[in-house]
Each structure stands twice: as structure tokens, then as C-alpha cells.
Amino acid sequence: MTGPAVTLVRDDITDQHADAIVNAANSSLLGGGGVDGAIHRRGGPEILAACRALRASHYGKGLATGQAVATTAGRLHADHVIHTVGPVHSREEDRSALLASCYREALRVADELGARTVAFPAISAGIYGWPVDDAARIALATVRAADTSVTEARFVLLDEAAYAAFAAHLD
């Protein structure tokens, strides 16, 4: 096993066809804004029901930052949604290891599921305030170095600025 092939697309992550779609979730697992809200809306009530079941069992206090867990993908064009909680960016504290953990843990869960194609958003680069250039650097370095059976890691970037930042670090 070695790092997967990395591709970049400028698109809405909820339109992707993949074995697993990664959700930049909040710790409650119950939906929110940004990517999280879009995945819950487009995926339908099955995802929320699965998240509620997780909260009722192993994740009573929610999912910790840097960790990942899978649910059904509901109505999305995927078999699974892998929820991971990115860190909120801080100027006072280096949380880079937590951001890298999101990608490593998502790939670990993907391997457990037998997923070969995984669609990632730019975790923490939206409302969590992580500078997109640094988020791209961490994401790509982490995924490229991962020991995984995933064959394609697709970064799905909604806007041109995010796409350009990831493209700059892909070379």
C-alpha cells in the first residue's frame, strides 16, 4: 500500500460519484453549515438518522476533533459518508496535527470499508477559518504519505481560490 492518486475537481462535493464522501462535520454529527449542511441536505434523512444512532451509542458526547466515523451516504452517489471533525484555526496554537489526523483517520475508515475512491472537501478551510493555502499543503502532504488501499483521493473544491491553492501544492 502507498498513497493514492490525487485528483482535483472544482465542483460541489454532493455531486460526486465515489465509494466514500468525506464530510467536514461538526462534533455533534447532527448537521450544520457549509459542507456538513450540504451533505445532510442532499443525502437526506438517512444520514441524520445514522448520526443520531452513533450519538446514542459510542459517540454520546459527539465526535472528537481529528477523528472519523462512517455512516450511510443516503441519497448521495456514494456508499458511505465519512464524517471527520476539523480543527478551528488558531493563531495562538498549532493545530496542524489535528488537521492532518482528519485525513489520516478518514483514509483509515475508508480502508475498513473497502472504499477505493474517496472525495474530500478542504477540511477546516471554510467557516473554521483555516487559511486555504496551508490547508491544501497539509491535506496533500498527509494524503500522499498515507499507507492506504484507497486508489483515488479526489479533492472537491467549490471555488476557484481553493482549487488554485490545491493545484499549487499538487506540483
Side-chain angles (χ1 to χ4, degrees):
M1 294 190 297
T2 59
V6 174
T7 57
L8 307 178
V9 296
R10 186 162 176 255
D11 200 0
D12 179 337
I13 198 163
T14 66
D15 289 333
Q16 294 301 299
H17 292 254
D19 295 331
I21 292 175
V22 175
N23 180 21
N26 65 51
S27 63
S28 78
L29 294 173
L30 301 178
V35 169
D36 193 18
I39 284 175
H40 275 268
R41 281 190 302 277
R42 184 83 176 267
E46 299 87 351
I47 296 174
L48 182 57
C51 287
R52 283 189 172 135
L54 286 170
R55 287 296 304 269
S57 61
H58 297 86
Y59 299 95
K61 294 181 179 176
L63 186 64
T65 301
Q67 297 301 302
V69 65
T71 65
T72 179
R75 299 175 189 153
L76 296 172
H77 303 292
D79 296 323
H80 308 278
V81 170
I82 299 172
H83 307 267
T84 188
V85 180
V88 174
H89 184 261
S90 169
R91 292 181 192 271
E92 291 79 38
E93 178 186 355
D94 181 6
R95 298 177 179 167
S96 301
L98 285 169
L99 183 55
S101 179
C102 291
Y103 292 98
R104 274 194 306 278
E105 287 294 302
L107 289 169
R108 180 190 59 76
V109 171
D111 283 340
E112 289 175 358
L113 297 168
R116 296 294 174 254
T117 56
V118 178
F120 286 97
I123 298 167
S124 290
I127 60 173
Y128 283 9
W130 207 284
V132 70
D133 184 67
D134 195 45
R137 178 187 63 77
I138 293 166
L140 291 169
T142 303
V143 168
R144 284 177 162 160
D147 185 20
T148 179
S149 295
V150 171
T151 57
E152 182 195 3
R154 185 181 319 140
F155 287 91
V156 185
L157 307 154
L158 192 56
D159 62 46
E160 193 55 46
Y163 185 91
F166 273 75
H169 287 280
L170 193 57
D171 300 330

